[in-house]
Amino acid sequence: MSHQNDQVVSDVTTLLKRAQSGDERAMDDLLLHVTPFVRRLCQPIAQTHSADAAQEALLAIYRGIHSLREPSAFYSWVRAVTTREAVRTSKRVAQRATDELSETHHSADPFVSVDVSDVMDRLPDYHREVLTLRAYYGMDEQEMATILELPVGTVRSRLFRARRNFQNAWHQRSA
C-alpha cells in the first residue's frame, strides 16, 4: 500500500510540474484527480451550493497553480483554496437569500423533531462556517482566520457565539 501511495504522490508531482509549465493535458488530469477531494471539502461548508463552490475552487486552483512553489504542499494548498472558495460561495448565496432565510427561520416549528443538520441550517452562515471548519476539518482558530481572512479574535468570538447559538437551537428543538 505504501508503494501505491508513493506512486500516486510521484504521479501528482509529475502532473503538477507539467501543468505549471503549461501542459493543458496535465492540468486537466490534475484537476480530475483533485475533483473528488474538492467536492468532499465543499459539501459541509456550502451545502446545497457545494457544486458551485467546487467549480469556483477548481477555477481558483487552475488560475493559481503557478503560484505553488512546493509540490509537497499541493494537497494542503488545494484544501486552503477550496475551503476559501466554499466560504466565499456560501457568503454570496447567503447575501442573496437573506430575506428568504429569515422568513424560513421565523416559521420553523420548535416542536418538530430535528437532527444536527437541521439545527446547523438554522444558524447564520458565518456561525455554520466556523463550526464546520472546527468540527469537520479540525482547524484551530489561526487556520480558520487564515481561510476566512479574518482576525483571530473575530474567529474566536464567532466560534463562541456559534457554539452558544447551536446549543440554544438544539434545546429549542424539543421545547
Side-chain angles (χ1 to χ4, degrees), residues 1-148:
M1 192 69 167
S2 177
H3 175 68
Q4 212 172 20
N5 289 341
D6 291 344
Q7 184 61 41
V8 169
V9 169
S10 175
D11 291 347
V12 169
T13 302
T14 302
L15 281 175
L16 178 59
K17 288 177 183 177
R18 288 178 38 214
Q20 286 178 320
S21 68
D23 182 337
E24 288 297 319
R25 177 72 177 148
M27 178 65 81
D28 289 345
D29 290 345
L30 192 61
L31 290 174
L32 282 172
H33 172 74
V34 298
T35 296
F37 179 57
V38 167
R39 286 183 179 150
R40 280 193 309 272
L41 292 172
C42 289
Q43 179 56 43
I45 299 170
Q47 297 181 339
T48 58
H49 301 283
S50 63
D52 292 335
Q55 182 177 0
E56 292 298 324
L58 289 167
L59 282 169
I61 291 165
Y62 176 82
R63 289 182 193 125
I65 199 79
H66 300 290
S67 68
L68 181 64
R69 299 287 174 237
E70 185 55 49
S72 64
F74 177 68
Y75 289 103
S76 297
W77 178 77
V78 167
R79 178 179 150 190
V81 169
T82 299
T83 305
R84 184 184 67 235
E85 292 303 320
V87 167
R88 284 181 181 165
T89 300
S90 181
K91 284 180 180 179
R92 269 194 311 273
V93 169
Q95 287 174 348
R96 282 183 274 172
T98 300
D99 293 338
E100 182 182 322
L101 285 175
S102 66
E103 288 175 22
T104 303
H105 289 278
H106 291 305
S107 67
D109 183 357
F111 297 101
V112 175
S113 178
V114 295
D115 64 7
V116 172
S117 65
D118 290 331
V119 173
M120 289 290 282
D121 287 344
R122 288 193 243 164
L123 298 176
D125 288 339
Y126 54 90
H127 284 173
R128 189 173 53 247
E129 289 165 357
V130 294
L131 287 175
T132 300
L133 293 174
R134 169 69 83 173
Y136 192 78
Y137 295 109
M139 291 185 182
D140 62 26
E141 287 90 357
Q142 183 60 52
E143 291 172 314
M144 287 188 280
T146 301
I147 295 295
L148 297 172

